[in-house]
Each structure stands twice: as structure tokens, then as C-alpha cells.
Amino acid sequence: MRVLVADDERLLADTVAEGLRRLSMAVDVCYDGDGALERIGVNRYDVAVLDRDMPGHTGDEVCRSIADSQAGTRVLLLTAAAGIRDRVEGLGLGADDYLTKPFAFAELVARVQALGRRSTPALPPVLAQEGLVLDVGRHVATRDGRPLALSPKEFAVLHVLLRADGQVVSAEELLEQAWDEFADPFTNAVRVTMMTLRKKLGDPAVIHTVPKAGYRIGGTA
């Protein structure tokens, strides 16, 4: 899952981003509305976490821009305003959910994960294929009942492949969905992560390389 976190409270934004990264999400961070608009114009996000009261373009304006774009990005608005009128107003802008500050990080995670499952087509909370089971909410992966000790990046890559449901995923798509905006497009990070992931999954191989195309789960090598 790729997430944008935009909040002018830098410590809060950085803390939220780091916590989401530990749960294998690819997270980009910015501290004002102008930066948020710039990023959503370039990258495709599953979820955007926006503070309503950012300087420059407000979170409300960014939310409206995302809704008008019909890109499929789900929006979670953050605000200190806890009144019913404020929540109704925020949802009326096109936001999918609303969370008042201060908040428990566990609740924010649950809301982000729930919004991520509302992608098109909608995804179940547990993905399964070829004996692999990925419980995104609990951040647990198994193969044939055997627990897998995956790094956050390995978990993210496996998540992207399972979401593809047998379709080929290119290295470029993996970089876009499992890494953040600072990923070097010429890096060998995808190849290295794929190598360690395959080793942990064991035999027989379930991730297959499709020459000049990418990777997929299932089918023949």
C-alpha cells in the first residue's frame, strides 16, 4: 500500500510515517498543501492522510482536488476540530474518513488499512494464493501454515504480488507501490528483495519471473 502523509506538524507527520513503514507501507511525507498537491499529481496513492489546516493549500483543498481527479485515492482527514458539523463538512469535501487529534496510532492504522481495502476492485483483509496467506491487518504471513519472518519490504512486495491475483507485476510497478518517492529507478532493490523473499518462501517456487515483463505468483516458471 502506498500512502501520502501531509501535516504541517513535522514531528507528528514523521512519526506517523515511520510507524506505517514498519507495517510495510510505502509512505511519502510532506508538510504543506502545496507539497501534497505536487505529489498527488505525480504519484498514485492508495490512501492520503491529510491535515485540514496546513499552510498554503489547505487539506480541504487537497482533498477536493483528489476527489475531482477520480484517481481512486482514499482520503483520511486529520483535524483538531471534533464537532459534528466539522466532520460532516470534511466528508462533504470528498473525504472517506475523518479522525480528530489527538488520536491513538492503532486507530489511525486501522482506518488507513480499511481505506486501502476499498480499492478497485475491493480487496479482502486476508489474501491467499498458492498456499500463501497474508493477513494485512495483523501483519502476518504464512505458507502452508508455516509462519514467515518477513522484513517490512518483503511483506510489501508479497502484498503487491498477491493483490495482482496472478497477473504480471513489473519491477517498475513494484518500485512505485512498495517503495517511497526516494527510490532510485535504477536500483537493484527489487531484485535483491525478490531474492531474499523467495529464499524465505522456500520450495517449490511460487514467485515466477516472466522474462522482460516482471513477476507473478502462480502459473509456470
Side-chain angles (χ1 to χ4, degrees):
M1 188 188 307
R2 188 162 186 180
V3 180
L4 173 66
V5 175
D7 196 313
D8 61 321
E9 295 183 52
R10 289 176 175 256
L11 179 59
L12 174 63
D14 291 341
T15 301
V16 167
E18 185 58 33
L20 295 178
R21 288 179 184 127
R22 290 196 187 103
L23 295 173
S24 303
M25 300 183 198
V27 186
D28 296 338
V29 183
C30 60
Y31 310 106
D32 56 48
D34 295 342
L37 285 174
E38 179 181 346
R39 284 164 177 78
I40 65 173
V42 175
N43 304 313
R44 194 274 178 188
Y45 295 99
D46 297 292
V47 179
V49 181
L50 308 174
D51 176 50
R52 289 192 69 178
D53 302 316
M54 292 184 290
H57 287 88
T58 65
D60 288 358
E61 292 174 298
V62 178
C63 177
R64 190 180 293 112
S65 178
I66 291 174
D68 290 344
S69 73
Q70 299 183 337
T73 300
R74 305 299 179 175
V75 176
L76 172 60
L77 283 180
L78 304 179
T79 182
I84 293 177
R85 178 178 295 179
D86 297 295
R87 294 198 296 272
V88 171
E89 184 181 78
L91 295 172
L93 294 168
D96 299 277
D97 203 353
Y98 197 96
L99 187 60
T100 57
K101 299 177 179 179
F103 52 81
F105 180 70
E107 182 178 5
L108 181 138
V109 168
R111 289 174 183 265
V112 168
Q113 290 176 331
L115 291 176
R117 291 195 295 271
R118 294 186 200 172
S119 58
T120 305
L123 291 169
V126 177
L127 301 173
Q129 190 180 352
E130 300 286 325
L132 295 170
V133 177
L134 199 75
D135 187 327
V136 179
R138 295 171 56 219
H139 203 254
V140 171
T142 62
R143 180 177 187 184
D144 298 328
R146 172 176 60 88
L148 300 170
L150 304 182
S151 72
K153 199 59 65 183
E154 291 164 349
F155 191 97
V157 167
L158 186 59
H159 187 199
V160 173
L161 291 172
L162 285 171
R163 285 176 63 171
D165 195 26
Q167 299 300 307
V168 176
V169 180
S170 69
E172 291 77 12
E173 289 171 320
L174 283 171
L175 269 178
E176 180 179 337
Q177 297 178 51
W179 275 263
D180 61 25
E181 62 183 329
F182 298 108
D184 181 354
F186 301 104
T187 183
N188 65 350
V190 171
R191 184 176 60 81
V192 172
T193 301
M194 196 64 67
M195 179 179 66
T196 59
L197 176 58
R198 281 169 160 161
K199 184 176 180 179
K200 290 182 180 180
L201 293 180
D203 294 323
V206 290
I207 299 177
H208 303 299
T209 300
V210 180
K212 299 183 180 181
Y215 307 91
R216 72 179 176 204
I217 291 180
T220 56

